[in-house]
Amino acid sequence: MSDEYQPDIGEDYIRFHKVMTRGLEVSLQNIDMFLQVGVIEKLNREGFIKYVQSFSSVLQGHHQAEDESIFPYFKNKLPEVPYERLTSEHVIFNDGLQEINTGIENLMSENDELESLKLLKSGFDKIDQIWHPHIQIENTQLYERIRSLNIDLEEMIRLQKDDKKFFQEHTGPAYLVMPFVLYNLSPEDRAILTQGSPDIVAKQILSRDWKDRWTPMQPFLLK
């Protein structure tokens, strides 16, 4: 049937861009709010730190997967994509993530909160400055065109499986990363991402081992 789910790693990456776009916007909105008062709201301090920590891990893993796996695989199939530009912009993102990670470490060590927030602000601003044109190129010149390559079903499933494994190996902790990814997506995109095992995913996220660890992030997530 035409409305059946068709595996497409390009659509998976477009969804990840939605995750990171919302994560970027939510982080900056809250950083600006906290900077205005000079302190993080105590009630949401733990959740905010976990949220930006998850953002950093997911963005790092996402770009590492592109640089080491996705771009090399599609370079000959879609040679006109400006891969060198995209890879060089990933370096800029990594510079921003270094500041973000230092800010997170300082907040967790309860160092000067205002200076830590300023460091977070600087890191997120570096990412924000080029984020939207960067993903526009990736989405329109690469990911939206993968379907037209007519990659056979078995190969597409293999690509998705390998990509999932790579992501799991290069991000973490899973009890923060998985809820961060799923609950920065609309319910519709979330359902597609978990298609095939929604009950298993829900059971894991709501398990005793995970729930208490990620639920402080809920004020920053979608329902």
Side-chain angles (χ1 to χ4, degrees):
M1 294 174 61
S2 60
D3 59 349
E4 282 185 352
Y5 169 70
Q6 296 293 323
D8 184 344
I9 199 168
E11 292 297 325
D12 293 344
Y13 270 74
I14 290 171
R15 285 187 197 94
F16 262 91
H17 287 165
K18 292 179 183 179
V19 169
M20 302 318 297
T21 297
R22 185 178 188 277
L24 181 60
E25 292 170 351
V26 169
S27 297
L28 278 170
Q29 287 168 3
N30 282 277
I31 290 168
D32 288 341
M33 181 178 66
F34 296 145
L35 281 171
Q36 285 182 356
V37 297
V39 66
I40 300 174
E41 183 184 12
K42 189 174 182 179
L43 180 64
N44 290 323
R45 190 177 193 277
E46 179 187 357
F48 172 73
I49 292 173
K50 287 184 173 182
Y51 188 86
V52 293
Q53 180 184 357
S54 300
F55 174 93
S56 177
S57 178
V58 172
L59 187 61
Q60 173 64 39
H62 170 73
H63 285 157
Q64 194 170 350
E66 287 181 325
D67 290 342
E68 298 182 20
S69 178
I70 297 298
F71 291 174
Y73 181 88
F74 288 102
K75 197 166 187 178
N76 291 330
K77 295 176 173 61
L78 293 168
E80 63 274 24
V81 177
Y83 297 102
E84 290 186 8
R85 171 183 170 174
L86 296 173
T87 300
S88 67
E89 288 178 347
H90 289 174
V91 176
I92 299 173
F93 291 136
N94 287 338
D95 290 341
L97 287 177
Q98 288 182 12
E99 289 187 306
I100 291 169
N101 291 338
T102 301
I104 292 169
E105 291 172 5
N106 290 344
L107 287 174
M108 294 176 72
S109 301
E110 298 189 355
N111 291 337
D112 189 315
E113 191 150 282
L114 184 58
E115 289 304 312
S116 299
L117 284 168
K118 288 179 180 178
L119 195 57
L120 286 181
K121 171 71 171 173
S122 175
F124 274 101
D125 279 344
K126 284 182 179 178
I127 295 170
D128 187 49
Q129 285 172 2
I130 61 171
W131 175 252
H132 291 283
H134 178 85
I135 63 170
Q136 175 72 8
I137 291 173
E138 289 184 341
N139 287 350
T140 59
Q141 298 191 37
L142 175 58
Y143 296 127
E144 290 176 2
R145 298 175 61 195
I146 287 176
R147 176 74 68 189
S148 66
L149 296 175
N150 293 319
I151 297 172
D152 68 63
L153 180 61
E154 184 176 341
E155 174 68 357
M156 186 66 76
I157 292 173
R158 184 195 68 79
L159 286 172
Q160 287 183 314
K161 183 178 179 180
D162 289 351
D163 185 70
K164 182 179 179 181
K165 181 180 178 182
F166 187 101
F167 182 78
Q168 290 173 338
E169 291 174 348
H170 293 85
T171 61
Y175 58 78
L176 294 182
V177 166
M178 186 182 293
F180 177 88
V181 170
L182 292 178
Y183 291 103
N184 275 299
L185 285 172
S186 68
E188 294 78 14
D189 279 327
R190 196 181 308 153
I192 293 172
L193 199 63
T194 60
Q195 187 149 355
S197 56
D199 293 339
I200 295 173
V201 172
K203 184 177 180 180
Q204 188 170 26
I205 287 178
L206 297 176
S207 69
R208 182 178 298 178
D209 290 341
W210 282 28
K211 189 175 181 181
D212 289 345
R213 296 182 180 186
W214 72 265
T215 49
M217 294 195 298
Q218 278 188 320
F220 307 97
L221 301 172
L222 294 169
K223 293 182 179 180

